[in-house]
Amino acid sequence: KAGTKDGRITMRRYNAATTSSEDLKAVLQRPSQKSTEMIMGIVNPIIKEVRIGGDKALLGYTHKFEKATSLTSPVLKAPYPQSLMDLPPETIEAIDISFENIRKFHAAQKEETLQVETMPGVVCTRFARPIERVGLYVPGGTAVLPSTALMLESIVLAGGAQAVAAMAYGTESVSKVDKILGPGNQFVTAAKMYVSNDTNAGVSIDMPAGPSEVLVIADKEANPAFVASDLLSQAEHGVDSQVILIAIDLSEKELLAIEDELHKQAMALPRVDIVRGAIEHSVTLVVKDIKEAMELSNDYAPEHLILQLKDAPSVVALVENAGSVFIGQWTPESVGDYSAGVNHSLPTYGYAKQYSGVNLGSYVKHITSSQLTAQGLRNVGGAVMQLAKVEELEAHRRAVSLRIKYMDDNEL
Ligand code: HSO
Ligand code: ZN
C-alpha cells in the first residue's frame, strides 16, 4: 500500500466496487496541514510588528527569512534597473503571448450594467466599479517578472506574513491596499485570514488556500503517458500536493500501463524527490462509469479537473465543483498554468465548493441602484408599507405614506 514501495513511485489503488463509502471518503482526505494555532502563533507577532514598526520591521523580516540582507528599501519603483529587465528573447516572447491571452480572456469578462424594471416605474440596476487598491501576492519569487511589473504600480520586495501585513496596514513606503489576492504557503494564508478579520485593517482577500491538487478522470481511450504527465506536473509542485486519478472501468493491464508511465516519467524528473512525497498521499480510484467518477470528483472539489475522456466536452455539464477544467487529451494543466488565458489562482483544499478562482470579478465590487417614478412608488409602496408595519418600523412606513399623500394632494 505504500506510496513509493521498493523505490517504485506508485499511487495507492482502490476499487470503488469493493471499498465502503466511508473508506472512499477517508482515501480522498487532503493531506493534513500544520495546526492553525501553531501557524497563527508564528504569524501574529510578525503582523503586529510590521503594523507598528512599518518598513523597518518589514525589512528586518526580509533580511532574516529571505537572507536578502543587502536590501535597503522594500519597494521597487519604475524605471526598473536594466539588470532586472534583461531576459532572453524566448522568455520575453513567452511572457508576451501568455500576457496577451490572459488579458484577452479577462477583458472579455467585463460586464455591462444590468438593468431590470421589476414593476412599471421601478428600475433597478447593478454595475461594477474597480476596487481601488489591490495587492497581489506573487509566491516564491526571487525573480521580478515584467508581466507582474505591468500589473502593479510599485513592487514590494517582500514575502510571507510580513508582506501581507505591510499591504494590509501600509508602511512608510508600502501603500495600504483594499484587497489582497494571490496564493501563498500556510503562513501567507494565515496572515491573509488574520488581516481580513481585523476591522482595523479594512482589507478583504480572494480566498483561503491550501496545497495544490489535480484530479484526472481517464477512460480506456486515454493515453497512459498523457495521464501520467498530468499527474506529475501537479506532483512536482510540492510534497504536500495531492494528485488523484479516477480510472473508469480500466483493466489491470490498462492500470499498469499508467503506473509504469508514472514511475518511468517520475524517475526522469529533476524534482523526483518532491514527486515522491506528493505521490505518497495520492491515490488511484477505479470506478465503473462516468456518473460514479463525477460524484467522487464533485465531492472532492478539485482545484484542477482534467477530463481525459472520449467525449470530454459533454462531461463538463456534470461538473459541479472544480476550480478550472481541462477538457480532452490536448489540454494539459500546464497550458492553464501559464499561457492559455485562464487564471491559475484557484481554490484548493475543497474550497472550490464555495469559491471561484481569481477572475475579473475579483477586482471589482458591485453597486446596485434603484430609481422610481411617482407611479412606480404607488405600485410598490403598498408592499413596502405592509412589511414596515410587520417589522414595526414606523419611520420606514411613513417615508412612503407621506410621499403618496403628497402625490394625492398635488394630484400627481
Ligand atoms: N499549478 C499551479 C500554478 C503554477 N504552475 C504556476 C506552474 N507555475 C497552481 O495550482
Ligand atoms: Zn502548476
Side-chain angles (χ1 to χ4, degrees):
K1 63 177 170 60
T4 57
K5 212 164 60 181
D6 311 326
R8 183 172 158 88
I9 300 178
T10 181
M11 288 153 63
R12 282 171 293 146
R13 204 206 283 170
Y14 298 86
N15 193 321
T18 52
T19 313
S20 72
S21 58
E22 287 93 72
D23 285 351
L24 273 184
K25 239 191 165 69
V27 156
L28 285 176
Q29 283 290 321
R30 261 97 179 167
S32 64
Q33 294 201 274
K34 293 193 190 74
S35 89
T36 313
E37 286 91 76
M38 198 279 266
I39 298 282
M40 279 297 186
I42 295 169
V43 161
N44 284 4
I46 297 175
I47 295 175
K48 281 199 189 105
E49 228 184 282
V50 173
R51 190 180 164 195
I52 295 161
D55 277 351
K56 194 161 170 276
L58 178 61
L59 266 178
Y61 280 116
T62 306
H63 292 169
K64 183 175 164 191
F65 293 139
E66 325 283 346
K67 312 273 179 281
T69 43
S70 59
L71 204 69
T72 52
S73 164
V75 169
L76 186 66
K77 285 205 169 112
Y80 305 109
Q82 194 48 45
S83 60
L84 293 176
M85 304 303 285
D86 277 340
L87 292 167
E90 60 274 23
T91 305
I92 295 179
E93 198 198 351
I95 290 172
D96 286 348
I97 291 171
S98 311
F99 181 88
E100 186 47 25
N101 287 348
I102 295 162
R103 193 203 58 73
K104 235 185 258 171
F105 182 56
H106 289 73
Q109 293 171 24
K110 209 166 147 196
E111 322 153 48
E112 298 302 319
T113 297
L114 175 91
Q115 180 170 322
V116 177
E117 189 166 13
T118 55
M119 276 179 131
V122 181
V123 175
C124 300
T125 78
R126 189 187 76 162
F127 51 94
R129 290 285 183 271
I131 296 171
E132 215 171 303
R133 303 162 298 181
V134 175
L136 305 176
Y137 187 90
V138 182
T142 42
V144 177
L145 296 176
S147 64
T148 313
L150 284 171
M151 294 185 215
L152 302 170
E153 65 190 31
S154 63
I155 294 169
V156 179
L157 297 169
Q162 58 275 22
V164 171
M167 291 195 285
Y169 301 103
T171 69
E172 300 88 325
S173 59
V174 179
S175 34
K176 185 223 174 312
V177 302
D178 303 311
K179 184 168 184 179
I180 299 171
L181 300 147
N185 63 19
Q186 257 193 290
F187 298 97
V188 172
T189 299
K192 282 168 68 185
M193 305 276 254
Y194 178 99
V195 297
S196 67
N197 274 319
D198 181 0
T199 49
N200 293 311
V203 73
S204 69
I205 61 169
D206 48 358
M207 64 190 115
S212 211
E213 72 232 356
V214 70
L215 189 150
V216 179
I217 305 182
D219 63 10
K220 287 176 181 300
E221 305 271 322
N223 181 321
F226 294 3
V227 172
S229 74
D230 285 343
L231 295 166
L232 290 170
S233 47
Q234 191 57 49
E236 78 171 345
H237 269 294
V239 289
D240 55 358
S241 287
Q242 188 172 48
V243 308
I244 309 281
L245 169 64
I246 299 191
I248 300 178
D249 196 28
L250 293 200
S251 66
E252 183 63 25
K253 190 166 158 240
E254 288 160 336
L255 288 165
L256 276 175
I258 295 176
E259 287 170 3
D260 285 348
E261 274 294 336
L262 187 94
H263 175 71
K264 195 180 78 193
Q265 291 184 29
M267 293 306 281
L269 289 172
R271 290 163 70 96
V272 60
D273 289 337
I274 292 177
V275 166
R276 224 181 262 283
I279 293 298
E280 250 162 59
H281 38 73
S282 296
V283 288
T284 299
L285 296 177
V286 186
V287 301
K288 63 175 190 316
D289 57 22
I290 187 66
K291 187 172 165 285
E292 205 180 336
M294 287 313 300
E295 267 166 21
L296 287 166
S297 175
N298 284 329
D299 200 44
Y300 181 78
E303 178 192 12
H304 309 95
L305 171 61
I306 301 185
L307 304 174
Q308 296 224 29
L309 302 167
K310 181 165 180 270
D311 190 11
S314 73
V315 174
V316 178
L318 305 178
V319 178
E320 295 294 338
N321 303 312
S324 196
V325 186
F326 298 81
I327 306 163
Q329 64 170 331
W330 307 117
T331 321
E333 186 199 309
S334 9
V335 298
D337 280 352
Y338 295 114
S339 310
V342 293
N343 206 292
H344 82 202
S345 291
L346 299 166
T348 57
Y349 221 65
Y351 282 111
K353 283 196 175 167
Q354 49 280 108
Y355 283 89
S356 317
V358 168
N359 63 89
L360 196 69
S362 316
Y363 291 84
V364 303
K365 68 263 177 186
H366 287 100
I367 302 173
T368 59
S369 80
S370 40
Q371 184 173 356
L372 277 65
T373 60
Q375 189 55 46
L377 186 59
R378 278 193 193 278
N379 291 343
V380 78
V384 177
M385 288 189 289
Q386 180 56 31
L387 288 175
K389 205 167 141 191
V390 170
E391 295 190 349
E392 296 178 17
L393 293 173
E394 187 53 18
H396 286 64
R397 197 190 66 79
R398 286 186 194 178
V400 176
S401 66
L402 67 79
R403 282 177 170 81
I404 290 182
K405 180 166 184 306
Y406 181 92
M407 287 178 215
D408 292 344
D409 293 349
N410 294 279
E411 288 172 21
L412 291 172

